[in-house]
Amino acid sequence: MEPNFKHLLHSGYSHPTLRLWQEERPLLAHQLMYPIFVSDRTDSKLHEIKSLPEQYQIPVDKLVEFIEPLVAKGLSSVIVFGVLTRDDVLKKDETGQCALHEQSPATRGVAALKKAFPKLLIAADVCLCAYTSHGHCGILTPEGHIDHQKSIDMIAKVALAYAKAGAHVVAPSDMMDGRIASIKSLLYKEGYGNTVAVMSYSSKFASVAYGPFRDAASSAPSFGDRKAYQLPSGSRGLAVRASERDEEEGADLLMVKPAGPYLDILRDLRENSRLPIACYHVSGEYAMLWHAANAGAFDLKAAVLETLRGFRRAGADVILTYYTPRLLDWLKE
Amino acid sequence: MEPNFKHLLHSGYSHPTLRLWQEERPLLAHQLMYPIFVSDRTDSKLHEIKSLPEQYQIPVDKLVEFIEPLVAKGLSSVIVFGVLTRDDVLKKDETGQCALHEQSPATRGVAALKKAFPKLLIAADVCLCAYTSHGHCGILTPEGHIDHQKSIDMIAKVALAYAKAGAHVVAPSDMMDGRIASIKSLLYKEGYGNTVAVMSYSSKFASVAYGPFRDAASSAPSFGDRKAYQLPSGSRGLAVRASERDEEEGADLLMVKPAGPYLDILRDLRENSRLPIACYHVSGEYAMLWHAANAGAFDLKAAVLETLRGFRRAGADVILTYYTPRLLDWLKE
Amino acid sequence: MEPNFKHLLHSGYSHPTLRLWQEERPLLAHQLMYPIFVSDRTDSKLHEIKSLPEQYQIPVDKLVEFIEPLVAKGLSSVIVFGVLTRDDVLKKDETGQCALHEQSPATRGVAALKKAFPKLLIAADVCLCAYTSHGHCGILTPEGHIDHQKSIDMIAKVALAYAKAGAHVVAPSDMMDGRIASIKSLLYKEGYGNTVAVMSYSSKFASVAYGPFRDAASSAPSFGDRKAYQLPSGSRGLAVRASERDEEEGADLLMVKPAGPYLDILRDLRENSRLPIACYHVSGEYAMLWHAANAGAFDLKAAVLETLRGFRRAGADVILTYYTPRLLDWLKE
Amino acid sequence: MEPNFKHLLHSGYSHPTLRLWQEERPLLAHQLMYPIFVSDRTDSKLHEIKSLPEQYQIPVDKLVEFIEPLVAKGLSSVIVFGVLTRDDVLKKDETGQCALHEQSPATRGVAALKKAFPKLLIAADVCLCAYTSHGHCGILTPEGHIDHQKSIDMIAKVALAYAKAGAHVVAPSDMMDGRIASIKSLLYKEGYGNTVAVMSYSSKFASVAYGPFRDAASSAPSFGDRKAYQLPSGSRGLAVRASERDEEEGADLLMVKPAGPYLDILRDLRENSRLPIACYHVSGEYAMLWHAANAGAFDLKAAVLETLRGFRRAGADVILTYYTPRLLDWLKE
Amino acid sequence: MEPNFKHLLHSGYSHPTLRLWQEERPLLAHQLMYPIFVSDRTDSKLHEIKSLPEQYQIPVDKLVEFIEPLVAKGLSSVIVFGVLTRDDVLKKDETGQCALHEQSPATRGVAALKKAFPKLLIAADVCLCAYTSHGHCGILTPEGHIDHQKSIDMIAKVALAYAKAGAHVVAPSDMMDGRIASIKSLLYKEGYGNTVAVMSYSSKFASVAYGPFRDAASSAPSFGDRKAYQLPSGSRGLAVRASERDEEEGADLLMVKPAGPYLDILRDLRENSRLPIACYHVSGEYAMLWHAANAGAFDLKAAVLETLRGFRRAGADVILTYYTPRLLDWLKE
Amino acid sequence: MEPNFKHLLHSGYSHPTLRLWQEERPLLAHQLMYPIFVSDRTDSKLHEIKSLPEQYQIPVDKLVEFIEPLVAKGLSSVIVFGVLTRDDVLKKDETGQCALHEQSPATRGVAALKKAFPKLLIAADVCLCAYTSHGHCGILTPEGHIDHQKSIDMIAKVALAYAKAGAHVVAPSDMMDGRIASIKSLLYKEGYGNTVAVMSYSSKFASVAYGPFRDAASSAPSFGDRKAYQLPSGSRGLAVRASERDEEEGADLLMVKPAGPYLDILRDLRENSRLPIACYHVSGEYAMLWHAANAGAFDLKAAVLETLRGFRRAGADVILTYYTPRLLDWLKE
Ligand SMILES: [Zn+2]
Ligand SMILES: [Zn+2]
Ligand SMILES: [Zn+2]
Ligand SMILES: [Zn+2]
Ligand SMILES: [Zn+2]
Ligand SMILES: [Zn+2]
């Protein structure tokens, strides 16, 4: 019996030009955004983050030197996280005031990168958890709940500070209701409405996969957890509504975080939104690939590439990943 | 009152990297397929086609010379149409037998290109209308109707002849029911099942826009018209069903023809099919742009680029267009 | 071998009642809206527009006489464009004040039609470009950028003037952000909220196909172009967002302009919106059909009908076309 | 505060032409198909069906007289059910042979209507349950299960008999797997492939709402029930798959039965199929409206019209309903 | 010939675990919400509602006793309607003031249930028609039209009164534009923003099927009808827009009413909204099943179960039905 | 300013019954299928698989004892893999004949489970790679390519052997074109057409995550890799086409493998198929969670539950996971 010709796929990609026509969404270097941890240390040394092998807390004065070879290899964007390690200059307090300080490592880091690399897209993560004494992402009421209005006012001010320092993109990761509108409104009033984009961590789940990051950013909450403001992992409806809300409030880019365990949500956003979609390949995902490769389960490079090609296939336009330095090499091979 | 921030679009594309992330489906040179008319003339001259300015009937012995500079500019695919102008060697008859002749200009043209340009993707249009004495795309019954079974048997043989001559893609344009299955079956039996792709003219409409082409290919029917086998222009349902049928019969690529007046059908196929989709920017469309530009209505280059970018936006992976030579230059600017 | 019965289509439309059940979206006369150019001339003569053959600038005092035979043939709607040719009464200035004048030809034209043809649906195009000395669609800042707030305030006043003159539909073609909300708000305050519909030129592209129109309406910009407020032709996302925005601001009808090169966007709107969708078969498209037919590429009537049936198939409920007078005859045949 | 203009709907339909543009899917007389019960009685009397008030078993010799006034009012299609009441001429047996007899009331009824009303579309219900001694819709194995192959062979022969008698549409209601392919194949071989349409009862549920019908058609099974071949009411997946299967086998029209309790399935088919969709407003639905109106719950005419307009809104192109005679009057008011 | 294996469905559900995997949306007791009529009578007797057999007007002091056995059987939610039968304490007037009275039977009923059954979800229907002397759902202008602003102010106050009495859900059934926003705003200001859900009767049609209810609730309008604020039954577009509007204004749940004749709209909402969707199986639907079963057309239990399983299949998360008491038993069998 | 009420989500889930109504697709024990490795060892000992901690190769004679406590905890399905460790009885050869031997551990394991646990759903993995001397999933030609026809003939025989041994589900994992049709056809001829379901590994990617499995099943290819028959990870189109093909050939269930890196494909299948969808949480995914938890990156239980709830959210009806034994406990907490 003859085969069902519809089911013989080979003839459709038997010539290189045919294969180009089959190609869907290739993984390209300009789609990578590298998350970097800029610290207030003054020892001019990179501090490797124990739970995030080969990633570092970088003192401001080493930043340009650290990034330079990556830019040379084609790095086109970074996202800056500030890390406070000392309490002589900037002290964490209840409301995270030090986030606004012009000597904050995030602010200084953004400014240094902007000056050194005029073509590099510089994003700045916006949150309070690295600056509050309690480690929560917002300001608390006396009873220990989130004070919603105070939190989003403060977050907008932080975003403005980074915009003033030169960030092209501000990226609120706090998940407070209404923060996109609050940031957009303040940026607009201050004249940054058309020139600074807001990338919202819009579908950010309460995930187990953030552990190593908190170590990197020294931002773990001192009590309680973040389930009151991050999304429950099982609810597709709430996840999509949260991104839709941020799109309605004026976000320029949306994000799914973590990436891997939520690829279906990435697909949902791709089909429901008209904005570019980012995804954050988080520290726990980095660790899983790293440790399993070390334990001999598979080859690291092959596993990372399969994973990230999946993010593209699912719909990501931008990928935040700690593997960016390696990928800048791997993608050239 | 504050603006609705969702409605301010500028911040989303204020940096070059942001603009790259907004980019949807750029128009690239490798997506163009150039239709060429290869004739049986022996005068070694290009004959310009009156109703299709700047397009030529090309004798086989001038073909390589004609294509060479285009390949140098990045041409990656052509589709060959054979044109009979004499009746001393190959004579048109009732059943189009001469289409199978190894001296047919299409067969010789395919072979010459294959030999000269090993990386060029070579497609061959498959039909009978340029080889039958009556100019219809199939074989007729004594009463003048299409003899369906005889037609698709013959069409499969023609496709096989081109495959043997070296075509990577055979492209049946006849619109007879069942020809994809007939071609696929014969190619499979003869060992070309995995290496020759079938690009079906699957949603081909009975359009007024083919006039100049028939002049180019000397393929106008001597009586009647083609409404019995080409699609009625108003019917979305039939158009989509025709492409679905061809996908079910094993086509490797689908096509919408003409392109411009049927962009909505292109979108329909893009969303209903998993195959690469081609569209044919036909001779009447070429003429409309040409004559209106000449009459001063607009600038030709701007109009062609706007038109073809629209084909990409609507979903085309491959574009057959007579403007290919100009576009190879324009796309580099 | 038996055929695949699914692929034999004839039995499904072999009886007239069966054919009625197959019918999709026929092209009907009441779906045509005729664009007319009403001038301030006093010579009581029709002035044919050179680049738009068979179309005229019509002095107000000839308007009823000109439209009467079309209404008799079944014309059910028109859209009025005002054209200033003199500068003794109404003078173009920086802010287009004369658009508000009760002697403007658009206002007088609307009123004359309303009085003469009580059943005719009268739409009025709303823009500033025919009334500003610089020819841009909005009011400019001293630096030559669009002054957004002043522009939409003025545009709302113009819309109100036409509503007062008797227009059933006001149709803003300017593409300034926020003008739908501005118009809706003013109409509502003035008591026209329920009786005057707003047809937004919502997905209007920066196209090369507007050339002849500008000649007709004497509205070409004296410097710069309109790319800052019209849509880039390649971006599906922005086009759909622009229409969604206008639907959110309260538009009663949406529009795609031009029609032909953007049929895929028409399909997108049809599937994403619950409003009736209009499309504008623009002057460049008119010219292409006209000149190619004149050059013998095809028959004009057949080409126009194929084109417009395509607009219906793609999803248009209303078609603005200069071929309306001919179509009122053709559709009866 | 200003209203949200998007939420004020009136301006969108304030002029009659605007209302025409809003119109969705009106209920029209030509969409009604009247189910009629043609019996083998020879008493020339209409027998009212007790459980289906105002509906009758009609002897063949009264049929034309009965239908004539309805045709005069605009009836455009009927579907004929044959009813055996005697056993002197046609006797029910195990395999329903008498369904093939040229004196069967269905066959004679179809022929009589075809002769009397040349424009009327005549459909014939195809099943075995009114002709088998056991009242099941197929032929049984000795163990009492459906003999699948024998059943669909027989059903195809019945369909052919009706086609020969003049039916334009044959409508298999039996729900045996493969009967559409079987019917299509036989009609094709016998030369009816292009002229007789097949309307499949494709998504027919095992519903409680068929009781009165069985009384009308004297077709209740003498043992067991039909759950082995009719669809379980809760399963959307199986319902859609059943219609898709029939579309693949070549059905020209699909059907949902019953209509009212399965409007969501009607919507599903409308969005997944490219065929016209019928729905059968079954006897139990007729009874519910009738008895509730009689008990004073509501006005019959208003309730029937609301119900059937819902069928149109949900996607029906054709409606089979016992209220057809009343509707021919009601729709004119 | 072999069958098409895709079309043989049985192997997919031949084992109980396979059947569990086929199960789509089972009908569960916790999805039922029981509508109850709480009256101001003081005779401590249930009054059966003549047109709604087996349903009662229940005096407040009999309420707990009446509900107790249902809660024991697994009733998890009720919706309370207040009924005024006397005019010595609460008198209907033009603006329905008595709806706010703390002695209104609805308010007292909610409070009594909240106290007696701490786990029961208590919803309260919010409307004015049972409290206005004219029986309309809003407050009228002197000319007899709806006074829109006064109506939604009053409706918000009624909702607040029920929230204060302990309702978990307030359910506005009035269909006035803007009432969801009005209720949400007042609840928010008074501190109920996070703890009281709003279930909007969002797609409520002007149906003939409400007759018996008006008898039950003594809420028929004394003049005119409700077509000015309930939806026309034929319009899919308006129905979906109305629910979308309420979702935009902050509704927590949407509703389709009636359920059965609008299953296609239920499917539409399910696919367009991310909120839970309720449907109201209204009194006329109850009556149709009841009377047809009594007339012998079918078995009541089988018919009710088929009907409600259809609501689930079409997309309902919550079903309001008078058959709840019977279903609590039937679902256990 | 008031918040946008649509964006306050809390009121929608403030009561336990409301939360039940929000619940989408809970993770339930009956959705888990446990993969077990049954070996031919005779030492009556469990052999822990080094690269798959806490998973074992189980000799046939220990199987019932091993499974018993899991069934007691609610295990409802297993999938059996046979492992050959010796070559005295069953010897691997070029064509995998020993897979058909009635003493194969898979066959004996299926039979033992069927006898011991009459309610347990027993699936058997069908492939040749554990039985061929070269370790490929099909039979090879002399040149080392897959001999397609011989392979699918053999695979169908293996499936039949397991069906005869008592498997309810046969699950071909080989990815040869046409194997579903081949298996279905043989099962049908042998009388298992209606009682044995086929679960196709339909979208199975060439992934790096299978390493530990090959260790468990001793099935690594001795040369070459499986890229010629497993899917390229980047291609959404091919992945969906492969599952569609298997659905067309008659599969009863589809599968995505691996699960986690392909959640977007799971969503695609859920929205394009009407079959139940399984996903295989493969050995490399098991290893990643295990090793990262051991390295302190997160808590194992929390990470596994978040991961699997994601599979359900993305659309899985059935989950194959090595964590099944732990989950049977965790889901009860
Ligand atoms: Zn934070
Ligand atoms: Zn041809
Ligand atoms: Zn303008
Ligand atoms: Zn039957
Ligand atoms: Zn009311
Ligand atoms: Zn294998």
Side-chain angles (χ1 to χ4, degrees), chain A residues 33 76-79 119-123 168-169, chain B residues 15 17-18 21:
Chain A
M33 181 182 272
S76 57
S77 68
V78 295
I79 180 164
K119 293 190 176 172
L120 185 70
L121 179 84
I122 301 161
H168 302 101
V169 174
Chain B
H15 182 280
T17 298
L18 286 174
W21 296 345

Side-chain angles (χ1 to χ4, degrees), chain F residues 31-234:
Chain F
Q31 294 151 352
L32 302 174
M33 180 182 271
Y34 186 36
I36 49 178
F37 300 97
V38 181
S39 80
D40 57 0
R41 285 205 183 80
T42 52
D43 60 358
S44 296
K45 289 188 194 157
L46 301 181
H47 285 244
E48 187 166 11
I49 299 157
K50 213 181 113 188
S51 55
L52 209 51
E54 294 196 0
Q55 303 301 317
Y56 305 91
Q57 292 176 337
I58 311 162
V60 176
D61 64 358
K62 297 292 287 182
L63 185 58
V64 170
E65 180 186 329
F66 179 82
I67 293 295
E68 198 148 52
L70 299 176
V71 169
K73 285 180 187 176
L75 180 70
S76 57
S77 70
V78 294
I79 180 164
V80 171
F81 292 85
V83 186
L84 299 188
T85 63
R86 312 183 309 160
D87 58 6
D88 50 352
V89 183
L90 297 174
K91 255 189 212 164
K92 299 187 181 190
D93 61 16
E94 293 268 309
T95 59
Q97 288 300 325
C98 57
L100 303 177
H101 198 288
E102 60 185 21
Q103 289 302 312
S104 100
T107 304
R108 289 176 58 212
V110 165
L113 292 171
K114 182 72 168 277
K115 188 171 163 202
F117 309 109
K119 293 189 174 172
L120 184 70
L121 180 84
I122 301 162
D125 180 87
V126 174
C127 200
L128 302 186
C129 51
Y131 304 98
T132 51
S133 46
H134 44 67
H136 275 284
C137 301
I139 297 174
L140 303 182
T141 63
E143 296 78 25
H145 300 133
I146 293 290
D147 186 320
H148 186 259
Q149 193 58 49
K150 282 189 189 162
S151 298
I152 64 177
D153 288 350
M154 182 64 179
I155 283 162
K157 286 181 199 161
V158 177
L160 178 63
Y162 298 157
K164 286 186 175 170
H168 303 100
V169 175
V170 291
S173 57
D174 57 287
M175 286 302 280
M176 301 298 138
D177 288 351
R179 87 259 200 232
I180 302 300
S182 174
I183 291 171
K184 275 283 182 176
S185 176
L186 188 59
L187 290 179
Y188 180 80
K189 277 184 209 128
E190 299 282 333
Y192 296 91
N194 288 331
T195 51
V196 173
V198 176
M199 174 168 73
S200 175
Y201 286 68
S202 55
S203 292
K204 179 179 179 181
F205 292 87
S207 173
V208 303
Y210 302 149
F213 173 88
R214 287 168 193 162
D215 193 11
S218 70
S219 64
S222 57
F223 66 94
D225 59 33
R226 296 190 167 104
K227 294 205 174 174
Y229 40 96
Q230 295 180 348
L231 295 166
S233 72

Side-chain angles (χ1 to χ4, degrees), chain A residues 45 60 76 90 92 96 109 121 129 140 173 194 257 260 284 308 325 327:
Chain A
K45 287 189 193 153
V60 176
S76 57
L90 297 174
K92 299 187 181 188
L121 179 84
C129 53
L140 303 182
S173 57
N194 288 331
K257 181 183 177 188
L308 268 73
L327 283 159

